[in-house]
Amino acid sequence: DGGITQSPKYLFRKEGQNVTLSCEQNLNHDAMYWYRQDPGQGLRLIYYSQIVNDFQKGDIAEGYSVSREKKESFPLTVTSAQKNPTAFYLCASSDRQVRNQPQHFGDGTRLSIL
Amino acid sequence: RKEVEQDPGPFNVPEGATVAFNCTYSNSASQSFFWYRQDCRKEPKLLMSVYSSGNEDGRFTAQLNRASQYISLLIRDSKLSDSATYLCVVNPGGAFSGGYNKLIFGAGTRLAVHP
């Protein structure tokens, strides 16, 4: 079954701690994205990657970091510099080779502060 | 002005009703348009793409008006299972660091269908 897998489903962060959210896809998509969703708000782009070993900041990258060492994987680290990390985090992917394609989402990770 | 604007609702309708949502976008060069559905505490799922000529998928009809820069979603014969938040999504077009698939998400319109 092709799809995007995010883990864990729920995550709690202590003060001063870095935490890493996993995102894996087997859709053979080049492009991957991380979004944050706060209650009653639209999705906001944190980072995106068009190809392996390359990634770009989105609209709200401060306090976050990513890596793209493999096509299938795009982990997101929420660092201690992110002062308001409580949110629903969504990973998405799309076929970069085809224009105007929609993005497909994993089922998300809910992050809360302890 | 927000890039993509939607009425947050909620739209409370009885089963069997017809309901329509509009969404406006600010970038006249926008290239592609989508409606996503998001259930409470779940990920967004693609409902349908929106084509210039308008398109229909069962009880759902999407329309695009480029001159007025809005898209619409019509749901006929509403079911209880249609209750969700509907996200209007726009690809603003142009280069996106070499890619084509940047998407701008509206905050969503909430639909509640009651018996």
Side-chain angles (χ1 to χ4, degrees):
Chain A
D1 231 65
I4 302 171
T5 302
Q6 289 188 240
S7 62
K9 208 169 179 69
Y10 300 94
L11 187 57
F12 297 91
R13 195 191 88 169
K14 292 181 185 175
E15 204 71 43
Q17 186 183 39
N18 293 352
V19 292
T20 298
L21 284 59
S22 168
C23 178
E24 305 275 332
Q25 54 99 359
N26 60 4
L27 299 168
N28 200 33
H29 286 166
D30 286 305
M32 296 186 74
Y33 313 81
W34 273 106
Y35 293 90
R36 167 183 174 138
Q37 187 175 35
D38 293 280
Q41 297 192 32
L43 277 65
R44 292 184 289 167
L45 183 64
I46 304 172
Y47 268 98
Y48 62 95
S49 169
Q50 300 286 351
I51 200 165
V52 175
N53 292 321
D54 184 62
F55 49 83
Q56 305 293 331
K57 292 182 180 180
D59 302 316
I60 55 163
E62 187 174 345
Y64 300 97
S65 66
V66 293
S67 62
R68 187 82 187 279
E69 296 175 4
K70 297 187 299 181
K71 186 176 184 177
E72 304 78 23
S73 179
F74 190 40
L76 173 75
T77 297
V78 183
T79 74
S80 56
Q82 173 47 248
K83 297 306 178 191
N84 184 22
T86 297
F88 188 36
Y89 290 86
L90 289 155
C91 177
S93 71
S94 68
D95 186 349
R96 177 177 179 266
Q97 304 307 318
V98 181
R99 290 181 75 111
N100 299 326
Q101 288 297 295
Q103 294 173 15
H104 302 277
F105 288 86
D107 58 4
T109 293
R110 291 197 179 274
L111 176 62
S112 302
I113 294 183
L114 276 179
Chain B
R1 184 184 170 187
K2 287 183 184 176
E3 291 182 84
V4 177
E5 290 203 68
Q6 298 182 251
D7 181 342
F11 285 61
N12 293 301
V13 303
E15 271 187 292
T18 295
V19 61
F21 310 134
N22 282 342
C23 160
T24 58
Y25 59 94
S26 60
N27 185 342
S28 59
S30 295
Q31 295 188 350
S32 56
F33 310 87
F34 309 96
W35 283 102
Y36 279 71
R37 171 197 169 123
Q38 186 173 25
D39 291 292
C40 188
R41 300 178 71 80
K42 300 283 191 181
E43 76 276 21
K45 292 185 177 175
L46 179 67
L47 180 65
M48 57 198 303
S49 301
V50 186
Y51 303 119
S52 296
S53 54
N55 49 299
E56 190 174 304
D57 183 1
R59 297 181 293 108
F60 298 83
T61 300
Q63 299 274 359
L64 168 63
N65 185 320
R66 283 193 185 273
S68 301
Q69 293 178 216
Y70 77 82
I71 69 174
S72 63
L73 178 68
L74 182 79
I75 306 175
R76 289 181 299 278
D77 188 23
S78 299
K79 312 288 184 195
L80 294 175
S81 57
D82 293 334
S83 298
T85 297
Y86 291 84
L87 308 180
C88 172
V89 183
V90 174
N91 181 332
F96 181 46
S97 294
Y100 301 104
N101 293 326
K102 177 176 184 176
L103 296 180
I104 307 295
F105 288 79
T109 297
R110 198 154 66 87
L111 172 65
V113 182
H114 57 82

